[in-house]
Amino acid sequence: MGWTWWTQKPAYVHVFLREASAVFILAEVVLFAVLIHKAGQDAETYRAYLDFLWHPLMVVFHILALAFAVWHSVTWFLLTPSALPRQIAGRRVPAALVVGQQFAGLAVVSLLIALWVAWVGAT
Amino acid sequence: MNEVRHDIIIIGAGGAGLRAAMAVVETNPDLSVGLVSKVYPMRSHTVAAEGGMAAVIKPNDDRQHHIYDTISGSDWLADQDAVELFVDEAPRELIQLEHWGCPWSREDSGQVAVRPFGGMQIERTWYAADKTGFHVLHTLFQTSLQFSQIRRYDEFFVTKLLVADGRCQGCVALELRTGELHVLRAAAVIVCTGGFGRIFPFTTNGAIKTGDGLALAYRAGAALEDMEFVQYHPTGLPGTGILITEASRGEGGILLNTEGRRYLQDYDLGAPLDIHDPRHPQNRSMELGPRDRLSQAFMHEQAAGRTFQGKFGDYVELDVRHLGEERIESRIPFVRELALNYAGIDPIVEPIPVRPVVHYTMGGIDTDVHGATALPGLYAAGECACVSINGANRLGSNSLTELVVFGARAGRHAAAAAAGLELGGGAEIDRQAAAERERLAAWRARPTVDDRVASIRDDMTTAMEAGAGIFRDEASLAACCGTLRGLRARADRVHLHDDSPVYNTELVSALELDGMIDVAEAVAHAARQRTESRGSHQRTDFAARDDANFLTHSLAYRTDDGPRIAYKDVVITHWPPAARVYGAANDADGQA
Amino acid sequence: MSEKTIQLEVFRYRPDADGPGFQTYDVPFHDDWVVLDALNYVKDYVDGTLSYRWSCRMGVCGSCGMEVNGEPKLTCAAFLRDYLPGPVRVEPLTNFPVERDLVVNMDGFMSKLDSVSPYIVPKDEAGGGPSAEHLQTPAQLDRYKQFSMCINCMLCYAACPVVGRVDEFIGPAALALAQRYNLDSRDDGRERRYDVMFQDEGVWECTYVGECSEVCPKHVDPAGAIQQAKLSGALDYYKRMLTPWARRS
């Protein structure tokens, strides 16, 4: 198999995209780390970096990264039921429950962050 | 020719062959075993067995019951000493399988669960859902991998047994991958090649079940015993012949004709209980009668015009709907899978169309209780052998048990006999091996003829179904015998289109056919000469059982002019021949 | 009355003759025929030189796995009606060396199967002695039952891109089988299987593509088995690191 093996089947493409999401997520983490670093410097530098992050091309990049992150989360959540041992205290746990819990967890955490951001913004 | 030497050669790596191989190692770890099979072990047809495996383990059961059920099921043709041994050793062998990892279905307590099967007074069938044979085969195969003494020859087709100094001393095998011939020498050979259902057109048997081992032994001078007894399973899918396990009836499934009647009540199989009665299904009654009687009942219903007409012939309905989805999914999931895939029927909402189908061959290579044949050094075990515990009709779920009980016995006995044995006859072996190479080379040199292996095979299976099916008579059997002689001549001339040495599957088919015609002739001739009706052998011209003349096993010996049939007495220990009674009266039975 | 037909494009290869290629055959179309029936028709009545493996034709012996229109399938369970109007392309399983026509070489698979010690390693003291059965509750059975359903048809090896790239990868079926025995309440062989399962070519090579589970005709879910093995292997690793004195030989 050559380097294009992942284009042979749709399923391979899906997996490849899931793996490729790491690149975007890593980039976002680096951007965020730099942001923290900039926040410790003078206001002018910080402002310039914020402008850079809000550049239209960068916004496109953020949206792309978000899409990859969602893709990774959703596909991974759907896979987890088979990746986990299926029993708790000798009883089989329905796959839908495992998947459902994860989406619920994601929703709760997202909601908390949104509330926090709104609260910080308001004060 | 490449020559290899082992202490024991086992031909066939299904349930019996694998169990025999491990029994040799258990008996004497210094012995080396050559395990030869025309397919990889996990492809062997043991894999297709579904319902389960009988052994007495529960406190409500008793060895007397299992013995009596087996003997009455056999229509008194089983050798009773063999049946007693079989029943006594069965529990230990099944526990051994449990220790080797077989995933038996369990009760809540963790003990092995059992279910009822046809012809049983007490439920005693151990099961792994409805893939028992699959699990047993894979358990045996995987367990065997830890023994370095067992050397496998996967995809080697044995073409001849080598006999010198009055002793079987090995075989010649064709390596399918290369086309090379190998001489495999040993102090003993155990044949475990399975049955020969493929001589019939409509069978549950896989393509590989061509009776190769029987033909090998027959040609080496061993006798084929009770070949006229061929079991039709009452519930196969029309068209494909795929088996719908008896467990479907053990769990409570019922058989219905076009009038919606549970017609078995009209054939001395007892009175039906309501399907919601907690006592349904009743052991040894109605749908849990023996297979021969159920298949014969179908034929009578068909003659009376009370069967459904379908694209693949007539059928009746097997209804399991009342069991409900949960029970179907937990107890007989494979039935649902097969019905959905191959009949487009979901048994949860529709009855399954079924009809009788050739399933098992009671006859086989004549052996004693150690698996030994009359030819020193030659053993047989499993469906290819006839010990006989199955007589004229095998009881459901005895066959898997037979594989391990008699596989182990043959392995142990052969191991004891082979240890330290000095063999002579080397020059004779070389001569026979060279002659075998000549014979196979001659196949290639045959002139082109307007005939095909498949055409001859089709004509053979058609002749067998027409002449030696569920019901037989002198005229049909005489015609069948005549047709088979003609096919013998055609098979001796048929020419191969494939001249490649590598995976020449046309050559393999031709070799299989060559043996099948011999085996089919033994069946037809033995059936023609048994002028009585017993178990699965039903003569319309001799409708009654005739204990005065035929409480005997038939023995077919090969001659150039066709089979010579001789007889030997059935071994009776404690259970004199009696009427086979199923249904309401059965509670009084079995106390003999 | 002209009979309805469908075309097969069958991969042909003979090591002792010309190079590989495709041969087409027109076979009768029947609604209830599977691809294997069509191949048998060709073998029996058209071209006796075609080679392939098959036996049970009921989806349990595992012999007849092939690529049908590029997907690994048991040909006894692949209905012609699902490939109308044709042609149907039949090739040997990918990721395996081809011996001839549709027959692949299984040596690598067989040695991988062997390498994971796929059998019960008995505990020192079996309760009840050899004459009695071990107790195993339905819940204990349920922990490994699904992973014991593998028929060794090798479709998962054909579907797995990792198998295609890394020859030594132990692969889905064999790893699932190892996990099946690790999960069996009667077994004490985890240590014996550890080195094979958790080598680089063991579970860690798997990137969870999940195609093995998609193509599995018996719903074994080898991908799930491998992820579960990764989890328990990782836990074992930390346990060993934190409690070196407890490590068994």
mmCIF file with all atom_site columns, all heavy atoms in Angstrom, chain B residues 50-70:
data_model
loop_
_atom_site.group_PDB
_atom_site.id
_atom_site.type_symbol
_atom_site.label_atom_id
_atom_site.label_alt_id
_atom_site.label_comp_id
_atom_site.label_asym_id
_atom_site.label_entity_id
_atom_site.label_seq_id
_atom_site.pdbx_PDB_ins_code
_atom_site.Cartn_x
_atom_site.Cartn_y
_atom_site.Cartn_z
_atom_site.occupancy
_atom_site.B_iso_or_equiv
_atom_site.pdbx_formal_charge
_atom_site.auth_seq_id
_atom_site.auth_comp_id
_atom_site.auth_asym_id
_atom_site.auth_atom_id
_atom_site.pdbx_PDB_model_num
ATOM 1   N N   . GLU B 1 50 ? -25.015 -27.819 15.318 1.00 0.00 ? 50 GLU B N   1
ATOM 2   C CA  . GLU B 1 50 ? -25.649 -26.675 15.963 1.00 0.00 ? 50 GLU B CA  1
ATOM 3   C C   . GLU B 1 50 ? -26.119 -26.978 17.382 1.00 0.00 ? 50 GLU B C   1
ATOM 4   O O   . GLU B 1 50 ? -25.665 -26.384 18.357 1.00 0.00 ? 50 GLU B O   1
ATOM 5   C CB  . GLU B 1 50 ? -26.816 -26.188 15.098 1.00 0.00 ? 50 GLU B CB  1
ATOM 6   C CG  . GLU B 1 50 ? -26.343 -25.649 13.744 1.00 0.00 ? 50 GLU B CG  1
ATOM 7   C CD  . GLU B 1 50 ? -27.478 -25.293 12.801 1.00 0.00 ? 50 GLU B CD  1
ATOM 8   O OE1 . GLU B 1 50 ? -28.630 -25.202 13.252 1.00 0.00 ? 50 GLU B OE1 1
ATOM 9   O OE2 . GLU B 1 50 ? -27.206 -25.101 11.601 1.00 0.00 ? 50 GLU B OE2 1
ATOM 10  N N   . GLY B 1 51 ? -27.037 -27.938 17.508 1.00 0.00 ? 51 GLY B N   1
ATOM 11  C CA  . GLY B 1 51 ? -27.832 -28.029 18.725 1.00 0.00 ? 51 GLY B CA  1
ATOM 12  C C   . GLY B 1 51 ? -27.129 -28.391 19.998 1.00 0.00 ? 51 GLY B C   1
ATOM 13  O O   . GLY B 1 51 ? -27.354 -27.759 21.024 1.00 0.00 ? 51 GLY B O   1
ATOM 14  N N   . GLY B 1 52 ? -26.277 -29.411 19.981 1.00 0.00 ? 52 GLY B N   1
ATOM 15  C CA  . GLY B 1 52 ? -25.635 -29.752 21.236 1.00 0.00 ? 52 GLY B CA  1
ATOM 16  C C   . GLY B 1 52 ? -25.074 -31.146 21.302 1.00 0.00 ? 52 GLY B C   1
ATOM 17  O O   . GLY B 1 52 ? -24.922 -31.825 20.292 1.00 0.00 ? 52 GLY B O   1
ATOM 18  N N   . MET B 1 53 ? -24.804 -31.561 22.519 1.00 0.00 ? 53 MET B N   1
ATOM 19  C CA  . MET B 1 53 ? -23.946 -32.705 22.782 1.00 0.00 ? 53 MET B CA  1
ATOM 20  C C   . MET B 1 53 ? -24.458 -33.409 24.032 1.00 0.00 ? 53 MET B C   1
ATOM 21  O O   . MET B 1 53 ? -24.542 -32.799 25.102 1.00 0.00 ? 53 MET B O   1
ATOM 22  C CB  . MET B 1 53 ? -22.568 -32.101 23.033 1.00 0.00 ? 53 MET B CB  1
ATOM 23  C CG  . MET B 1 53 ? -21.411 -32.956 22.787 1.00 0.00 ? 53 MET B CG  1
ATOM 24  S SD  . MET B 1 53 ? -19.962 -31.874 22.651 1.00 0.00 ? 53 MET B SD  1
ATOM 25  C CE  . MET B 1 53 ? -18.736 -33.126 22.445 1.00 0.00 ? 53 MET B CE  1
ATOM 26  N N   . ALA B 1 54 ? -24.804 -34.695 23.897 1.00 0.00 ? 54 ALA B N   1
ATOM 27  C CA  . ALA B 1 54 ? -25.466 -35.364 25.005 1.00 0.00 ? 54 ALA B CA  1
ATOM 28  C C   . ALA B 1 54 ? -24.480 -35.987 25.987 1.00 0.00 ? 54 ALA B C   1
ATOM 29  O O   . ALA B 1 54 ? -23.499 -36.607 25.592 1.00 0.00 ? 54 ALA B O   1
ATOM 30  C CB  . ALA B 1 54 ? -26.378 -36.471 24.465 1.00 0.00 ? 54 ALA B CB  1
ATOM 31  N N   . ALA B 1 55 ? -24.735 -35.800 27.283 1.00 0.00 ? 55 ALA B N   1
ATOM 32  C CA  . ALA B 1 55 ? -24.024 -36.534 28.335 1.00 0.00 ? 55 ALA B CA  1
ATOM 33  C C   . ALA B 1 55 ? -24.822 -36.390 29.619 1.00 0.00 ? 55 ALA B C   1
ATOM 34  O O   . ALA B 1 55 ? -25.436 -35.360 29.871 1.00 0.00 ? 55 ALA B O   1
ATOM 35  C CB  . ALA B 1 55 ? -22.616 -35.993 28.529 1.00 0.00 ? 55 ALA B CB  1
ATOM 36  N N   . VAL B 1 56 ? -24.791 -37.457 30.405 1.00 0.00 ? 56 VAL B N   1
ATOM 37  C CA  . VAL B 1 56 ? -25.529 -37.465 31.669 1.00 0.00 ? 56 VAL B CA  1
ATOM 38  C C   . VAL B 1 56 ? -24.753 -36.660 32.698 1.00 0.00 ? 56 VAL B C   1
ATOM 39  O O   . VAL B 1 56 ? -23.620 -37.002 33.029 1.00 0.00 ? 56 VAL B O   1
ATOM 40  C CB  . VAL B 1 56 ? -25.712 -38.914 32.166 1.00 0.00 ? 56 VAL B CB  1
ATOM 41  C CG1 . VAL B 1 56 ? -26.370 -38.917 33.539 1.00 0.00 ? 56 VAL B CG1 1
ATOM 42  C CG2 . VAL B 1 56 ? -26.521 -39.711 31.159 1.00 0.00 ? 56 VAL B CG2 1
ATOM 43  N N   . ILE B 1 57 ? -25.336 -35.565 33.182 1.00 0.00 ? 57 ILE B N   1
ATOM 44  C CA  . ILE B 1 57 ? -24.657 -34.789 34.215 1.00 0.00 ? 57 ILE B CA  1
ATOM 45  C C   . ILE B 1 57 ? -25.612 -34.315 35.297 1.00 0.00 ? 57 ILE B C   1
ATOM 46  O O   . ILE B 1 57 ? -25.218 -34.110 36.439 1.00 0.00 ? 57 ILE B O   1
ATOM 47  C CB  . ILE B 1 57 ? -23.884 -33.593 33.598 1.00 0.00 ? 57 ILE B CB  1
ATOM 48  C CG1 . ILE B 1 57 ? -23.080 -32.868 34.691 1.00 0.00 ? 57 ILE B CG1 1
ATOM 49  C CG2 . ILE B 1 57 ? -24.836 -32.614 32.916 1.00 0.00 ? 57 ILE B CG2 1
ATOM 50  C CD1 . ILE B 1 57 ? -21.800 -32.299 34.254 1.00 0.00 ? 57 ILE B CD1 1
ATOM 51  N N   . LYS B 1 58 ? -26.888 -34.189 34.963 1.00 0.00 ? 58 LYS B N   1
ATOM 52  C CA  . LYS B 1 58 ? -27.827 -33.635 35.933 1.00 0.00 ? 58 LYS B CA  1
ATOM 53  C C   . LYS B 1 58 ? -28.364 -34.736 36.852 1.00 0.00 ? 58 LYS B C   1
ATOM 54  O O   . LYS B 1 58 ? -28.503 -35.900 36.435 1.00 0.00 ? 58 LYS B O   1
ATOM 55  C CB  . LYS B 1 58 ? -28.985 -32.959 35.197 1.00 0.00 ? 58 LYS B CB  1
ATOM 56  C CG  . LYS B 1 58 ? -28.551 -31.781 34.342 1.00 0.00 ? 58 LYS B CG  1
ATOM 57  C CD  . LYS B 1 58 ? -27.984 -30.652 35.174 1.00 0.00 ? 58 LYS B CD  1
ATOM 58  C CE  . LYS B 1 58 ? -27.477 -29.513 34.300 1.00 0.00 ? 58 LYS B CE  1
ATOM 59  N NZ  . LYS B 1 58 ? -26.733 -28.495 35.059 1.00 0.00 ? 58 LYS B NZ  1
ATOM 60  N N   . PRO B 1 59 ? -28.686 -34.382 38.097 1.00 0.00 ? 59 PRO B N   1
ATOM 61  C CA  . PRO B 1 59 ? -29.138 -35.387 39.061 1.00 0.00 ? 59 PRO B CA  1
ATOM 62  C C   . PRO B 1 59 ? -30.435 -36.091 38.657 1.00 0.00 ? 59 PRO B C   1
ATOM 63  O O   . PRO B 1 59 ? -30.654 -37.238 39.062 1.00 0.00 ? 59 PRO B O   1
ATOM 64  C CB  . PRO B 1 59 ? -29.323 -34.590 40.363 1.00 0.00 ? 59 PRO B CB  1
ATOM 65  C CG  . PRO B 1 59 ? -29.239 -33.162 39.998 1.00 0.00 ? 59 PRO B CG  1
ATOM 66  C CD  . PRO B 1 59 ? -28.512 -33.055 38.709 1.00 0.00 ? 59 PRO B CD  1
ATOM 67  N N   . ASN B 1 60 ? -31.275 -35.440 37.824 1.00 0.00 ? 60 ASN B N   1
ATOM 68  C CA  . ASN B 1 60 ? -32.530 -36.100 37.419 1.00 0.00 ? 60 ASN B CA  1
ATOM 69  C C   . ASN B 1 60 ? -32.333 -37.096 36.287 1.00 0.00 ? 60 ASN B C   1
ATOM 70  O O   . ASN B 1 60 ? -33.263 -37.751 35.856 1.00 0.00 ? 60 ASN B O   1
ATOM 71  C CB  . ASN B 1 60 ? -33.576 -35.048 37.014 1.00 0.00 ? 60 ASN B CB  1
ATOM 72  C CG  . ASN B 1 60 ? -33.176 -34.315 35.744 1.00 0.00 ? 60 ASN B CG  1
ATOM 73  O OD1 . ASN B 1 60 ? -31.996 -34.262 35.397 1.00 0.00 ? 60 ASN B OD1 1
ATOM 74  N ND2 . ASN B 1 60 ? -34.146 -33.742 35.060 1.00 0.00 ? 60 ASN B ND2 1
ATOM 75  N N   . ASP B 1 61 ? -31.104 -37.191 35.788 1.00 0.00 ? 61 ASP B N   1
ATOM 76  C CA  . ASP B 1 61 ? -30.822 -38.092 34.667 1.00 0.00 ? 61 ASP B CA  1
ATOM 77  C C   . ASP B 1 61 ? -30.065 -39.313 35.184 1.00 0.00 ? 61 ASP B C   1
ATOM 78  O O   . ASP B 1 61 ? -29.671 -39.360 36.356 1.00 0.00 ? 61 ASP B O   1
ATOM 79  C CB  . ASP B 1 61 ? -29.988 -37.347 33.613 1.00 0.00 ? 61 ASP B CB  1
ATOM 80  C CG  . ASP B 1 61 ? -30.073 -37.985 32.232 1.00 0.00 ? 61 ASP B CG  1
ATOM 81  O OD1 . ASP B 1 61 ? -30.767 -38.999 32.083 1.00 0.00 ? 61 ASP B OD1 1
ATOM 82  O OD2 . ASP B 1 61 ? -29.432 -37.457 31.308 1.00 0.00 ? 61 ASP B OD2 1
ATOM 83  N N   . ASP B 1 62 ? -29.877 -40.260 34.298 1.00 0.00 ? 62 ASP B N   1
ATOM 84  C CA  . ASP B 1 62 ? -29.282 -41.512 34.740 1.00 0.00 ? 62 ASP B CA  1
ATOM 85  C C   . ASP B 1 62 ? -28.711 -42.221 33.526 1.00 0.00 ? 62 ASP B C   1
ATOM 86  O O   . ASP B 1 62 ? -29.248 -42.098 32.424 1.00 0.00 ? 62 ASP B O   1
ATOM 87  C CB  . ASP B 1 62 ? -30.398 -42.350 35.379 1.00 0.00 ? 62 ASP B CB  1
ATOM 88  C CG  . ASP B 1 62 ? -29.915 -43.707 35.843 1.00 0.00 ? 62 ASP B CG  1
ATOM 89  O OD1 . ASP B 1 62 ? -29.847 -44.632 35.005 1.00 0.00 ? 62 ASP B OD1 1
ATOM 90  O OD2 . ASP B 1 62 ? -29.603 -43.825 37.026 1.00 0.00 ? 62 ASP B OD2 1
ATOM 91  N N   . ARG B 1 63 ? -27.593 -42.960 33.700 1.00 0.00 ? 63 ARG B N   1
ATOM 92  C CA  . ARG B 1 63 ? -26.968 -43.636 32.559 1.00 0.00 ? 63 ARG B CA  1
ATOM 93  C C   . ARG B 1 63 ? -27.945 -44.566 31.846 1.00 0.00 ? 63 ARG B C   1
ATOM 94  O O   . ARG B 1 63 ? -27.939 -44.682 30.623 1.00 0.00 ? 63 ARG B O   1
ATOM 95  C CB  . ARG B 1 63 ? -25.721 -44.400 32.991 1.00 0.00 ? 63 ARG B CB  1
ATOM 96  C CG  . ARG B 1 63 ? -25.960 -45.718 33.693 1.00 0.00 ? 63 ARG B CG  1
ATOM 97  C CD  . ARG B 1 63 ? -24.669 -46.376 34.168 1.00 0.00 ? 63 ARG B CD  1
ATOM 98  N NE  . ARG B 1 63 ? -23.912 -47.048 33.118 1.00 0.00 ? 63 ARG B NE  1
ATOM 99  C CZ  . ARG B 1 63 ? -24.127 -48.313 32.728 1.00 0.00 ? 63 ARG B CZ  1
ATOM 100 N NH1 . ARG B 1 63 ? -25.070 -49.036 33.272 1.00 0.00 ? 63 ARG B NH1 1
ATOM 101 N NH2 . ARG B 1 63 ? -23.383 -48.852 31.786 1.00 0.00 ? 63 ARG B NH2 1
ATOM 102 N N   . GLN B 1 64 ? -28.838 -45.218 32.634 1.00 0.00 ? 64 GLN B N   1
ATOM 103 C CA  . GLN B 1 64 ? -29.811 -46.142 32.044 1.00 0.00 ? 64 GLN B CA  1
ATOM 104 C C   . GLN B 1 64 ? -30.687 -45.425 31.015 1.00 0.00 ? 64 GLN B C   1
ATOM 105 O O   . GLN B 1 64 ? -31.025 -45.984 29.980 1.00 0.00 ? 64 GLN B O   1
ATOM 106 C CB  . GLN B 1 64 ? -30.727 -46.723 33.141 1.00 0.00 ? 64 GLN B CB  1
ATOM 107 C CG  . GLN B 1 64 ? -30.011 -47.528 34.178 1.00 0.00 ? 64 GLN B CG  1
ATOM 108 C CD  . GLN B 1 64 ? -29.738 -48.962 33.726 1.00 0.00 ? 64 GLN B CD  1
ATOM 109 O OE1 . GLN B 1 64 ? -30.432 -49.462 32.851 1.00 0.00 ? 64 GLN B OE1 1
ATOM 110 N NE2 . GLN B 1 64 ? -28.731 -49.588 34.287 1.00 0.00 ? 64 GLN B NE2 1
ATOM 111 N N   . HIS B 1 65 ? -31.056 -44.198 31.338 1.00 0.00 ? 65 HIS B N   1
ATOM 112 C CA  . HIS B 1 65 ? -31.915 -43.440 30.419 1.00 0.00 ? 65 HIS B CA  1
ATOM 113 C C   . HIS B 1 65 ? -31.192 -43.139 29.112 1.00 0.00 ? 65 HIS B C   1
ATOM 114 O O   . HIS B 1 65 ? -31.738 -43.291 28.030 1.00 0.00 ? 65 HIS B O   1
ATOM 115 C CB  . HIS B 1 65 ? -32.351 -42.117 31.063 1.00 0.00 ? 65 HIS B CB  1
ATOM 116 C CG  . HIS B 1 65 ? -33.254 -42.284 32.230 1.00 0.00 ? 65 HIS B CG  1
ATOM 117 N ND1 . HIS B 1 65 ? -34.298 -43.169 32.249 1.00 0.00 ? 65 HIS B ND1 1
ATOM 118 C CD2 . HIS B 1 65 ? -33.272 -41.658 33.434 1.00 0.00 ? 65 HIS B CD2 1
ATOM 119 C CE1 . HIS B 1 65 ? -34.934 -43.093 33.407 1.00 0.00 ? 65 HIS B CE1 1
ATOM 120 N NE2 . HIS B 1 65 ? -34.319 -42.179 34.150 1.00 0.00 ? 65 HIS B NE2 1
ATOM 121 N N   . HIS B 1 66 ? -29.960 -42.667 29.222 1.00 0.00 ? 66 HIS B N   1
ATOM 122 C CA  . HIS B 1 66 ? -29.216 -42.319 28.011 1.00 0.00 ? 66 HIS B CA  1
ATOM 123 C C   . HIS B 1 66 ? -28.981 -43.578 27.163 1.00 0.00 ? 66 HIS B C   1
ATOM 124 O O   . HIS B 1 66 ? -29.115 -43.551 25.941 1.00 0.00 ? 66 HIS B O   1
ATOM 125 C CB  . HIS B 1 66 ? -27.887 -41.651 28.387 1.00 0.00 ? 66 HIS B CB  1
ATOM 126 C CG  . HIS B 1 66 ? -27.173 -41.016 27.229 1.00 0.00 ? 66 HIS B CG  1
ATOM 127 N ND1 . HIS B 1 66 ? -25.927 -40.456 27.321 1.00 0.00 ? 66 HIS B ND1 1
ATOM 128 C CD2 . HIS B 1 66 ? -27.532 -40.857 25.921 1.00 0.00 ? 66 HIS B CD2 1
ATOM 129 C CE1 . HIS B 1 66 ? -25.555 -39.986 26.141 1.00 0.00 ? 66 HIS B CE1 1
ATOM 130 N NE2 . HIS B 1 66 ? -26.507 -40.211 25.269 1.00 0.00 ? 66 HIS B NE2 1
ATOM 131 N N   . ILE B 1 67 ? -28.648 -44.670 27.830 1.00 0.00 ? 67 ILE B N   1
ATOM 132 C CA  . ILE B 1 67 ? -28.422 -45.928 27.101 1.00 0.00 ? 67 ILE B CA  1
ATOM 133 C C   . ILE B 1 67 ? -29.713 -46.358 26.396 1.00 0.00 ? 67 ILE B C   1
ATOM 134 O O   . ILE B 1 67 ? -29.718 -46.661 25.202 1.00 0.00 ? 67 ILE B O   1
ATOM 135 C CB  . ILE B 1 67 ? -27.950 -47.046 28.059 1.00 0.00 ? 67 ILE B CB  1
ATOM 136 C CG1 . ILE B 1 67 ? -26.556 -46.729 28.603 1.00 0.00 ? 67 ILE B CG1 1
ATOM 137 C CG2 . ILE B 1 67 ? -27.960 -48.401 27.352 1.00 0.00 ? 67 ILE B CG2 1
ATOM 138 C CD1 . ILE B 1 67 ? -26.109 -47.638 29.737 1.00 0.00 ? 67 ILE B CD1 1
ATOM 139 N N   . TYR B 1 68 ? -30.808 -46.332 27.139 1.00 0.00 ? 68 TYR B N   1
ATOM 140 C CA  . TYR B 1 68 ? -32.068 -46.797 26.557 1.00 0.00 ? 68 TYR B CA  1
ATOM 141 C C   . TYR B 1 68 ? -32.511 -45.897 25.401 1.00 0.00 ? 68 TYR B C   1
ATOM 142 O O   . TYR B 1 68 ? -32.953 -46.380 24.348 1.00 0.00 ? 68 TYR B O   1
ATOM 143 C CB  . TYR B 1 68 ? -33.165 -46.877 27.618 1.00 0.00 ? 68 TYR B CB  1
ATOM 144 C CG  . TYR B 1 68 ? -34.427 -47.480 27.052 1.00 0.00 ? 68 TYR B CG  1
ATOM 145 C CD1 . TYR B 1 68 ? -34.560 -48.864 26.937 1.00 0.00 ? 68 TYR B CD1 1
ATOM 146 C CD2 . TYR B 1 68 ? -35.461 -46.669 26.574 1.00 0.00 ? 68 TYR B CD2 1
ATOM 147 C CE1 . TYR B 1 68 ? -35.682 -49.423 26.367 1.00 0.00 ? 68 TYR B CE1 1
ATOM 148 C CE2 . TYR B 1 68 ? -36.589 -47.225 26.010 1.00 0.00 ? 68 TYR B CE2 1
ATOM 149 C CZ  . TYR B 1 68 ? -36.703 -48.608 25.912 1.00 0.00 ? 68 TYR B CZ  1
ATOM 150 O OH  . TYR B 1 68 ? -37.813 -49.153 25.340 1.00 0.00 ? 68 TYR B OH  1
ATOM 151 N N   . ASP B 1 69 ? -32.394 -44.595 25.596 1.00 0.00 ? 69 ASP B N   1
ATOM 152 C CA  . ASP B 1 69 ? -32.782 -43.667 24.523 1.00 0.00 ? 69 ASP B CA  1
ATOM 153 C C   . ASP B 1 69 ? -31.969 -43.936 23.261 1.00 0.00 ? 69 ASP B C   1
ATOM 154 O O   . ASP B 1 69 ? -32.494 -43.914 22.139 1.00 0.00 ? 69 ASP B O   1
ATOM 155 C CB  . ASP B 1 69 ? -32.550 -42.217 24.964 1.00 0.00 ? 69 ASP B CB  1
ATOM 156 C CG  . ASP B 1 69 ? -33.566 -41.768 26.006 1.00 0.00 ? 69 ASP B CG  1
ATOM 157 O OD1 . ASP B 1 69 ? -34.614 -42.431 26.142 1.00 0.00 ? 69 ASP B OD1 1
ATOM 158 O OD2 . ASP B 1 69 ? -33.309 -40.749 26.684 1.00 0.00 ? 69 ASP B OD2 1
ATOM 159 N N   . THR B 1 70 ? -30.675 -44.176 23.440 1.00 0.00 ? 70 THR B N   1
ATOM 160 C CA  . THR B 1 70 ? -29.793 -44.400 22.298 1.00 0.00 ? 70 THR B CA  1
ATOM 161 C C   . THR B 1 70 ? -30.143 -45.705 21.581 1.00 0.00 ? 70 THR B C   1
ATOM 162 O O   . THR B 1 70 ? -30.216 -45.759 20.352 1.00 0.00 ? 70 THR B O   1
ATOM 163 C CB  . THR B 1 70 ? -28.324 -44.431 22.759 1.00 0.00 ? 70 THR B CB  1
ATOM 164 O OG1 . THR B 1 70 ? -28.034 -43.184 23.410 1.00 0.00 ? 70 THR B OG1 1
ATOM 165 C CG2 . THR B 1 70 ? -27.372 -44.614 21.593 1.00 0.00 ? 70 THR B CG2 1
#
